[in-house]
């Protein structure tokens, strides 16, 4: 099913390009987030339930990706531009306060155990957000000029009114529901 063409105020969530590739292709539906260095004192919050994925190339670290995903690392293919590949919708969000539970999520997403643990303890705040996302790739990625107001180590970037016409979901609904159940089982194990 294709959503109708909309011109809606949207925000974008900055995430490593490799992670955005995994989400946009349906290889994963889970994203673990803690926040950037410019976040508020409380850290990352799920401010939006619908947003565009904003691939970033700064700070991508091959030692923090699972080995099978390291081949996705690449240099910025469009310097001076932001290429937004997909619209994401939050299906479920969990604030995970147990490191053991966070580490059990490793098979469902792209980071390795060391990266999960480092993010979990970042700024001496022991927690991490687990976001299950329905991702809808854009048939034609949205390309924006990179401007100073889009830069910086923040998670959320307001985009104002942009044209976004997503296609169908990268993961069929039955599979996404199975991934939701797997997430919930791992969090309560």
């Amino acid at each position: 099913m294709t959503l109708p063409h909309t011109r809606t105020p949207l925000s974008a969530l900055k995430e490593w390009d490799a992670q955005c590739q995994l989400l946009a292709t349906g290889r994963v539906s889970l994203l673990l987030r803690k926040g950037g260095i410019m976040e508020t004192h409380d850290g990352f919050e799920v401010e939006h339930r619908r947003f565009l994925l904003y691939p970033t190339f700064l700070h991508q670290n091959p030692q923090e990706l699972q080995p099978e995903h390291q081949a996705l690392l690449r240099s910025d293919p469009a310097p001076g531009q932001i290429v937004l590949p997909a619209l994401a919708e939050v299906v479920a969000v969990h604030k995970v306060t147990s490191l053991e539970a966070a580490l059990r999520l490793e098979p469902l997403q792209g980071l390795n155990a060391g990266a999960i643990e480092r993010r979990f303890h970042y700024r001496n705040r022991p927690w991490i957000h687990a976001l299950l996302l329905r991702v809808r790739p854009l048939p034609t990625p949205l390309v924006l000029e990179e401007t100073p107001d889009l830069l910086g180590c923040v998670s959320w970037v307001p985009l104002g009114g942009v044209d976004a016409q997503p296609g169908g979901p990268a993961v069929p609904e039955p599979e996404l529901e199975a991934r939701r159940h797997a997430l919930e089982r791992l969090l309560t194990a």
Side-chain angles (χ1 to χ4, degrees), residues 6-69:
T6 59
R7 186 170 179 85
T8 313
L10 280 175
S11 289
L13 177 66
K14 288 185 175 185
E15 184 53 70
W16 288 359
D17 174 65
Q19 295 269 67
C20 290
Q21 290 179 61
L22 289 169
L23 290 162
T25 59
R27 290 171 66 184
V28 302
S29 298
L30 186 67
L31 192 59
L32 299 179
R33 292 295 305 221
K34 184 64 169 249
I37 61 173
M38 300 297 291
E39 303 295 354
T40 64
H41 177 72
D42 293 330
F44 176 81
E45 292 296 330
V46 183
E47 296 177 17
H48 307 280
R49 294 293 176 150
R50 185 173 176 266
F51 51 86
L52 290 164
L53 295 176
Y54 181 138
T56 61
F57 297 87
L58 188 62
H59 306 306
Q60 285 196 110
N61 185 342
Q63 286 76 38
E64 293 196 343
L65 284 174
Q66 294 180 33
E68 63 269 26
H69 305 312

Side-chain angles (χ1 to χ4, degrees), residues 6-155:
T6 59
R7 186 170 179 85
T8 313
L10 280 175
S11 289
L13 177 66
K14 288 185 175 185
E15 184 53 70
W16 288 359
D17 174 65
Q19 295 269 67
C20 290
Q21 290 179 61
L22 289 169
L23 290 162
T25 59
R27 290 171 66 184
V28 302
S29 298
L30 186 67
L31 192 59
L32 299 179
R33 292 295 305 221
K34 184 64 169 249
I37 61 173
M38 300 297 291
E39 303 295 354
T40 64
H41 177 72
D42 293 330
F44 176 81
E45 292 296 330
V46 183
E47 296 177 17
H48 307 280
R49 294 293 176 150
R50 185 173 176 266
F51 51 86
L52 290 164
L53 295 176
Y54 181 138
T56 61
F57 297 87
L58 188 62
H59 306 306
Q60 285 196 110
N61 185 342
Q63 286 76 38
E64 293 196 343
L65 284 174
Q66 294 180 33
E68 63 269 26
H69 305 312
Q70 290 178 4
L72 296 174
L73 292 169
R74 60 184 178 159
S75 298
D76 188 345
Q81 295 182 320
I82 308 299
V83 180
L84 306 164
L87 181 76
E89 302 161 346
V90 177
V91 174
V93 61
H94 300 272
K95 187 172 184 178
V96 183
T97 58
S98 158
L99 177 58
E100 293 75 22
L103 291 172
R104 285 194 297 266
L105 303 179
E106 184 181 16
L108 302 184
Q109 50 77 59
L111 299 175
N112 64 30
I116 295 169
E117 185 170 357
R118 186 181 65 76
R119 290 180 183 203
F120 183 87
H121 289 297
Y122 182 63
R123 291 188 174 173
N124 293 320
R125 295 187 192 118
W127 56 266
I128 197 164
H129 278 107
L131 286 75
L132 185 68
L133 303 175
R134 176 182 298 108
V135 178
R136 298 177 184 275
L138 305 179
T140 302
L142 180 62
V143 179
L144 303 176
E145 180 183 342
E146 187 177 72
T147 59
D149 56 317
L150 297 177
L151 302 176
C153 290
V154 295
S155 296

